[in-house]
Amino acid sequence: MLFSLATLLLSGLLSPLVQAQTKAGPGILPIDFSHAGYGGGGISIPAVPAVLTVRPTGQDDTRLLQAALDQVAKLPLQDNGFRGALQLAEGRFLVSGQLRLNADGVVLRGSGNQKTILVATGKDRRSLVVAGKEQLPTVGTTIKITDTVVTVGSRTFTLENLEGLRSGNQIVITRPSTKEWISALGMDTLKGVFPDLRFHWPAGSRNLVWDRTITSVEVAKKQITVDAPITTALEQQYGGGTVAKVTAEEPLQHIGIENLILESEFAKNNPKDEEHAWYAISLDQVRDAWVQGITARHFVSSAVKVGPRGRRITVANCRNEQPVSEVGGYRRHSFLVEGQQVLVQHCTAEAGINDFAIGFTAAGPNVFLHCTSTNALGPSGSYESWASGVLYENVQVNGAGLRLTYDPERAQAGGWTAANSVIWNCTAKEIVAKGPATAPVVAITSREPLYANQLSIRLGKQALAAIRKETPESSQVSAFSLNEFTTKDLSPTTAEQKQAHSPLQIINGRFVIGDKALWGGMVNDAWWLGQTSPANALDAGISITRYVPGRVGPGLTEDLPALATRVASQGTPFYQSGPAIWYDRRRDDHSIVERPTSYVWAAFYELPWARSGQGKAWDGLSKYDVSTYNPWYFDRTREFARLSDQNGIVLYHHLYNNHNLLETASHWIDFPWRPANNINETNLPDPIEPKTKVHVANQFYDATNQKLRELHRAYIFHVLDQLGSFDNIIFGLSFQYSGPFEFQKFFQQTVAEWEQKNNRKVRLVLDTSKNVTDAVLSDPELAKQVAVVDMRYWHYLPDGTLWAPEGGKNLAFREMHPKEFGDPTTPEQLYRQVREYHAKYPDKAIVAWHSGAGPVPALMGGGAQVIMRNPTAGHGQGRTVDSHPLDAFVQEHLAEKLMHMQPQDGLLAQSTQNWALTDEERNTLLLSSLSGQEITFSQKLPKKTYTGLWFDPSTGKSQSAELPSKFKKGTTLQKPTSAHWLLLLKTGK
């Protein structure tokens, strides 16, 4: 429908039209989109004088370029807010790392007519150029907004108080996503398998955050006015909103990137290669910035990505060409906006899936203006959830659609993906505009422009010059007239020193690092489920190889150094990693259907094997080649192994996940080794049994299948090549391994072959059934390879009978004995189990599942570690810490002694209820009494003076013990109560 300017621009915009088209209720006010762009819109991009130049060396220029940028960053800020531009000379700069603009007022510029090329070399999934602060702004006390409703497009708010607020202050406005609001939208009602984990919006997961500047304060009314409108109403019935003043870490300002060609290297033999740079330019925690005159080639995802806290940014006259990636979800988002007041204009893209993409909870207002997509492979528009206040004006999508709509499938199960948004004078294969009744999305055809007219009304016609299509040539100067920064200006490099650390030892069956024994909880990698919302991502747990493109943080793409520090500091010195069960989170529905599209959902669980770029696997991406390996997966695991060495963490790494091969067919359907998903001849059957079951463990773990044997051997060698040099890593065949002894033997023989070839020993854990464990330990050659015996898959039941499912039955443990799986036992039976194996194998670390009996029996029986969390869980250990009161007690009082303490029989009466750990000289003793009022000694202690400390393992509380001067045979100590207590006795030595 065609509309005139007079109809549309009542009150400066189209409010009556929006209400007429959507039947929205009163109070839906217009958004002034003209606030999008550098300087808040209508401000020309400045021509910043160059102050320094750099020429390519023909070698890796990463250090040279970063040092030159840092040199400009040291210059004083001028009155205009800039320090100057680093102008790169013509030629090709090779960049193996990343360039960061991390100071106000710095511009990065190429020379000539885009004759400067930055090449992202190597296989790292990174952004080539990054601009902005790494830290989020620090804010002060939050102040409630008291208006019953603050309508869409408003700039004025009434506050509870104005304490500390002044004109010019930077503030953060937050609109919470409450349960009531989510329910009103129907975003907690979708059905299906695990709907609450896949579709439903958790409260707090879709908060909108606007960064704004106060322009005026009206004290009498307790009101402030800010410099740009909000884009979703603030309603008290749905939680209202808050304001908080920024007190530190304000975003960077006045950053420019212009007149460059950015390229990414890629594997020429794989047209869908993704093991190279994903983003050309990323901006976040920055305001008043621009990117112009940029051409990006061969990147996986985006030419330009603006993060959630990027504000008042113009992206102009840029191109994204020849992307190299899979054709699937999260790829080929040529221009991706997740921020606020971002203007993308006069930009072109080709062969994209979402060339002009508005991202997750983008707070707006944001504008795509006069942009063109050619040969589009998928629609542009919103993805994920609730991008608010976006305008697409005169955008052409050739070959695909333009969608701002409700989408439970394509867009990460986003539901309502856009709100209060406009599609204006656009052309596409299809245009879909649909928003909730209270936050409409409309598609309009008009004789008049919208953004330009709004800008003209707000700032005058002279502001229109700022949005004209221009090139940055006017700001260029000859490189020969500038001071040149060369390799001679670089500070001397110092040889990178390997951080000293104490390697893991196993002493008398205890884990020891340095002079201290380890005791505490374990962190298990999640291997399914995940979210892309930072607010609730951690609910699905932690994984070192889970990938959320462009998002780093807990529960997302983990910051590995931060994770290692957290794991060590929280008292969980054990970490278990290994492959997930599927890559694409759509499979969380446990269906076995072949996916009709490649719109895979993040978070992506990266697997050890590489995609081939050929054919189509059941998740819609290309098939795997299980004879080649995923470098990102191994880079991440290798880095965490290095950090584990540095931080004193024991890293268990399992090569396979047995879950893929048994029980529900959905575990198998996307597995890389399934014949339908790879280009290799694996000689595996592809059965789907009645009731959608699958049991292919014995076929997969078949050492007599020569083709499989070769593939397994090559994979085992690769894992050890990548990880075998680290000190604190322990390798296991497979998490939940219930396969045959013959394959465990093949695995260990292959490890021995690698060890001989590389003159390096590695540690192995047996994490399997009792019959396979015992068969290995009865073979002297195999037994000597084993450092750790993990007994989590069998235990004694309370009546003393053994629950021990056998391996090699082509069944999972819980299929063989579903009733007993995880059933509780007694402390006495757990102590018995650990003592038996510790006595037989005193040089090996014994690990046991607590089976409901708590950690004390395993400790007292000589165990090195007790598993307290569900050993079959594949997710969820994110916000909860695997801790027990006993952990801190052992770390504080026994860390330097525990490796010298062994279980002692005969020291205490009633030995089934009372246990003792002592060192050889009996200088340190730990006594455990499960019940009764007293502890009676059956043997005397040396004539030494002891101090005593009672410890209650159920509460973690301690109290001093009154002790006799001598401990004779028959000496009796009264316990604080008849409950379970520990007594620590120490001499003064």
Side-chain angles (χ1 to χ4, degrees):
M1 188 179 293
L2 191 65
F3 293 92
S4 68
L5 177 64
T7 303
L8 297 171
L9 298 181
L10 295 175
S11 302
L13 195 59
L14 66 160
S15 176
L17 175 64
V18 170
Q19 294 189 23
Q21 293 292 306
T22 64
K23 299 181 180 179
I28 300 296
L29 294 181
I31 297 170
D32 186 347
F33 292 102
S34 72
H35 288 274
Y38 174 78
I43 305 297
S44 296
I45 293 174
V48 179
V51 294
L52 198 64
T53 189
V54 176
R55 301 180 189 280
T57 65
Q59 306 296 319
D60 181 14
D61 292 310
T62 305
R63 184 165 175 258
L64 177 67
L65 289 170
Q66 188 61 58
L69 285 168
D70 294 343
Q71 184 70 19
V72 176
K74 295 175 183 177
L75 299 175
L77 277 171
Q78 305 301 310
D79 292 341
N80 62 1
F82 290 94
R83 305 176 196 271
L86 173 64
Q87 184 166 312
L88 308 186
E90 296 180 6
R92 292 176 67 85
F93 292 84
L94 305 181
V95 183
S96 65
Q98 185 180 79
L99 304 180
R100 296 195 64 91
L101 282 73
N102 47 27
D104 294 338
V106 176
V107 175
L108 175 63
R109 178 186 302 139
S111 292
N113 185 21
Q114 288 199 332
K115 295 181 180 178
T116 303
I117 304 172
L118 298 180
V119 183
T121 62
K123 294 184 176 183
D124 189 20
R125 300 182 185 180
R126 67 190 188 277
S127 297
L128 176 55
V129 180
V130 175
K133 281 273 183 76
E134 293 189 44
Q135 303 87 359
L136 287 171
T138 302
V139 297
T141 304
T142 58
I143 303 172
K144 290 183 180 180
I145 296 172
T146 60
D147 301 282
T148 303
V149 176
V150 181
T151 54
V152 173
S154 295
R155 294 170 48 208
T156 298
F157 314 92
T158 307
L159 305 183
E160 196 171 52
N161 64 72
L162 298 175
E163 186 174 347
L165 298 181
R166 302 288 184 272
S167 180
N169 287 164
Q170 304 299 314
I171 61 169
V172 175
I173 304 168
T174 301
R175 181 194 186 279
S177 49
T178 62
K179 181 180 184 300
E180 293 76 15
W181 176 67
I182 290 167
S183 294
L185 290 172
M187 289 315 305
D188 56 0
T189 61
L190 287 175
K191 308 299 181 184
V193 179
F194 299 109
D196 56 325
L197 301 175
R198 302 174 62 241
F199 298 128
H200 296 177
W201 295 1
S205 64
R206 268 74 176 172
N207 294 356
L208 282 183
V209 176
W210 295 279
D211 294 291
R212 296 292 186 260
T213 304
I214 297 177
T215 57
S216 66
V217 177
E218 191 165 350
V219 176
K221 294 183 178 180
K222 294 185 179 179
Q223 288 183 337
I224 61 170
T225 299
V226 298
D227 60 335
I230 63 170
T231 58
T232 294
L234 308 180
E235 302 164 274
Q236 290 298 332
Q237 65 175 325
Y238 298 136
T242 61
V243 166
K245 179 182 174 181
V246 175
T247 58
E249 299 297 345
E250 287 193 16
L252 295 186
Q253 301 180 62
H254 302 118
I255 300 292
I257 303 168
E258 55 190 30
N259 203 27
L260 292 163
I261 296 174
L262 285 75
E263 295 183 353
S264 176
E265 286 187 343
F266 63 96
K268 298 297 192 292
N269 62 345
N270 184 354
K272 296 181 179 180
D273 178 36
E274 296 188 341
E275 302 310 321
H276 57 103
W278 276 55
Y279 302 95
I281 298 169
S282 294
L283 305 98
D284 203 5
Q285 277 87 259
V286 61
R287 74 170 180 265
D288 293 330
W290 71 87
V291 178
Q292 66 171 343
I294 297 295
T295 298
R297 297 182 185 134
H298 312 318
F299 290 87
V300 172
S301 191
S302 302
V304 181
K305 174 183 180 291
V306 180
R309 307 307 283 273
R311 179 188 175 211
R312 307 205 319 185
I313 295 169
T314 292
V315 179
N317 310 314
C318 295
R319 292 182 55 82
N320 192 51
E321 301 176 344
Q322 306 168 46
V324 177
S325 74
E326 298 275 353
V327 180
Y330 274 85
R331 283 85 170 164
R332 304 186 185 217
H333 290 180
S334 297
F335 297 92
L336 170 58
V337 175
E338 298 176 324
Q340 315 160 49
Q341 296 177 261
V342 180
L343 171 65
V344 179
Q345 65 169 346
H346 304 300
C347 291
T348 60
E350 65 179 22
I353 299 172
N354 195 339
D355 280 318
F356 304 109
I358 190 72
F360 181 73
T361 60
N366 296 303
V367 177
F368 293 93
L369 181 66
H370 305 311
C371 293
T372 303
S373 171
T374 61
N375 189 30
L377 304 178
S380 286
S382 52
Y383 75 104
E384 296 190 300
S385 303
W386 207 262
S388 183
V390 60
L391 167 65
Y392 284 81
E393 180 172 357
N394 195 21
V395 172
Q396 300 179 40
V397 183
N398 298 312
L402 177 56
R403 298 174 60 90
L404 301 176
T405 186
Y406 180 87
D407 196 337
E409 296 180 359
R410 170 182 175 267
Q412 192 71 26
W416 291 113
T417 63
N420 299 317
S421 297
V422 180
I423 297 173
W424 188 277
N425 289 345
C426 294
T427 58
K429 190 174 181 179
E430 67 166 351
I431 293 178
V432 181
K434 182 181 180 181
T438 55
V441 177
V442 296
I444 296 168
T445 302
S446 170
R447 296 186 182 92
E448 301 288 344
L450 179 56
Y451 180 84
N453 281 326
Q454 287 184 327
L455 189 62
S456 179
I457 290 170
R458 184 168 67 89
L459 294 178
K461 292 186 177 180
Q462 70 276 8
L464 298 179
I467 64 170
R468 292 174 183 161
K469 185 176 182 179
E470 296 177 351
T471 62
E473 295 293 330
S474 60
S475 60
Q476 315 244 325
V477 296
S478 170
F480 292 101
S481 64
L482 293 170
N483 290 329
E484 182 176 351
F485 191 90
T486 70
T487 54
K488 295 179 181 179
D489 298 307
L490 292 172
S491 57
T493 58
T494 56
E496 185 176 352
Q497 295 184 353
K498 187 176 180 180
Q499 185 171 331
H501 69 272
S502 299
L504 174 69
Q505 302 176 75
I506 298 177
I507 299 176
N508 298 323
R510 309 283 192 183
F511 292 117
V512 179
I513 291 180
D515 59 354
K516 293 184 177 181
L518 298 184
W519 187 268
M522 181 160 65
V523 178
N524 295 284
D525 256 351
W527 35 266
W528 74 299
L529 294 177
Q531 297 289 341
T532 56
S533 164
N536 67 309
L538 198 55
D539 294 340
I542 295 162
S543 172
I544 61 177
T545 52
R546 185 174 54 201
Y547 180 50
V548 181
R551 295 182 192 168
V552 176
L556 302 167
T557 306
E558 293 291 340
D559 180 328
L560 294 183
L563 174 61
T565 299
R566 188 166 76 248
V567 167
S569 64
Q570 70 190 14
T572 51
F574 302 99
Y575 194 102
Q576 179 172 258
S577 72
I581 54 174
W582 46 62
Y583 172 85
D584 173 15
R585 280 212 56 239
R586 289 180 298 179
R587 195 61 71 188
D588 290 351
D589 66 1
H590 282 66
S591 71
I592 60 170
V593 299
E594 183 176 8
R595 299 300 179 189
T597 72
S598 57
Y599 292 130
V600 289
W601 292 1
F604 300 126
Y605 282 90
E606 295 289 338
L607 297 169
W609 305 281
R611 301 272 183 175
S612 68
Q614 304 174 38
K616 178 177 174 292
W618 272 47
D619 61 9
L621 302 181
S622 70
K623 292 186 175 185
Y624 290 89
D625 178 356
V626 296
S627 68
T628 61
Y629 310 105
N630 181 342
W632 191 86
Y633 177 93
F634 283 101
D635 286 347
R636 296 277 294 181
T637 308
R638 189 169 57 249
E639 173 63 6
F640 196 73
R642 184 186 68 82
L643 291 165
S644 295
D645 281 2
Q646 291 182 0
N647 288 273
I649 299 167
V650 176
L651 175 61
Y652 292 103
H653 182 73
H654 298 278
L655 278 70
Y656 302 94
N657 190 334
N658 209 57
H659 214 61
N660 285 117
L661 308 171
L662 299 170
E663 298 181 296
T664 304
S666 57
H667 298 165
W668 165 255
I669 213 75
D670 283 345
F671 184 46
W673 289 63
R674 180 188 172 217
N677 294 325
N678 64 67
I679 63 171
N680 313 89
E681 296 179 5
T682 59
N683 295 342
L684 278 169
D686 195 2
I688 301 297
E689 303 165 22
K691 298 183 180 180
T692 65
K693 298 294 184 180
V694 68
H695 294 89
V696 293
N698 285 355
Q699 294 95 318
F700 180 77
Y701 298 123
D702 183 2
T704 67
N705 181 327
Q706 191 57 38
K707 180 64 176 180
L708 278 178
R709 184 184 181 94
E710 292 171 3
L711 290 169
H712 284 305
R713 179 184 177 278
Y715 172 58
I716 295 166
F717 260 63
H718 183 78
V719 171
L720 296 175
D721 287 343
Q722 294 290 304
L723 305 174
S725 62
F726 297 101
D727 293 320
N728 290 10
I729 193 167
I730 300 172
F731 296 95
L733 168 53
S734 175
F735 181 67
Q736 297 188 343
Y737 180 66
S738 58
F741 163 72
E742 289 76 12
F743 194 84
Q744 176 73 39
K745 181 178 180 180
F746 161 75
F747 167 66
Q748 292 191 218
Q749 289 174 335
T750 304
V751 171
E753 182 185 353
W754 181 91
E755 288 176 326
Q756 185 175 11
K757 179 180 178 181
N758 292 274
N759 194 29
R760 167 82 183 183
K761 293 290 185 181
V762 297
R763 293 187 175 97
L764 300 183
V765 56
L766 283 176
D767 186 3
T768 180
S769 61
K770 187 177 190 300
N771 68 316
V772 172
T773 298
D774 289 344
V776 169
L777 295 176
S778 66
D779 182 315
E781 288 301 310
L782 297 179
K784 69 182 181 182
Q785 290 181 279
V786 175
V788 182
V789 178
D790 187 328
M791 304 188 296
R792 71 177 73 186
Y793 297 123
W794 75 87
H795 62 258
Y796 289 109
L797 297 175
D799 64 2
T801 60
L802 181 66
W803 175 73
E806 293 187 2
K809 299 294 186 182
N810 219 13
L811 293 167
F813 294 115
R814 65 184 179 190
E815 288 183 294
M816 287 184 271
H817 291 279
K819 180 181 180 296
E820 290 90 354
F821 190 77
D823 264 12
T825 189
T826 64
E828 294 90 339
Q829 296 297 348
L830 178 58
Y831 179 80
R832 168 193 173 190
Q833 178 185 358
V834 173
R835 275 295 304 267
E836 284 177 352
Y837 274 78
H838 179 63
K840 289 182 69 174
Y841 310 106
D843 60 326
K844 303 186 188 305
I846 306 301
V847 177
W849 165 240
H850 78 101
S851 302
V856 173
L859 173 72
M860 300 302 296
Q865 180 190 355
V866 59
I867 299 170
M868 296 295 296
R869 294 187 61 86
N870 184 351
T872 65
H875 64 92
Q877 195 178 343
R879 301 187 189 279
T880 58
V881 177
D882 180 18
S883 64
H884 187 276
L886 180 67
D887 301 342
F889 179 81
V890 172
Q891 291 161 7
E892 179 181 357
H893 297 287
L894 292 171
E896 296 177 356
K897 305 291 184 180
L898 188 60
M899 68 288 267
H900 306 301
M901 300 173 69
Q902 294 295 318
Q904 298 290 320
D905 293 326
L907 180 62
L908 302 177
Q910 296 181 314
S911 60
T912 59
Q913 292 287 300
N914 299 313
W915 310 314
L917 275 179
T918 78
D919 59 13
E920 189 172 351
E921 294 82 16
R922 295 190 175 176
N923 290 321
T924 302
L925 301 90
L926 183 66
L927 312 178
S928 170
S929 178
L930 291 175
S931 61
Q933 292 288 347
E934 58 190 24
I935 298 175
T936 301
F937 286 77
S938 299
Q939 298 175 6
K940 68 177 182 179
L941 296 184
K943 295 180 180 180
K944 299 175 181 179
T945 300
Y946 289 92
T947 59
L949 186 68
W950 290 108
F951 175 74
D952 182 348
S954 65
T955 65
K957 294 181 179 180
S958 301
Q959 63 185 68
S960 297
E962 294 185 7
L963 302 178
S965 58
K966 295 181 181 179
F967 285 89
K968 301 178 181 178
K969 182 178 179 180
T971 297
T972 297
L973 299 180
Q974 293 297 313
K975 294 165 56 180
T977 70
S978 61
H980 185 189
W981 285 87
L982 297 178
L983 176 61
L984 176 64
L985 299 177
K986 282 188 174 183
T987 66
K989 295 182 180 180

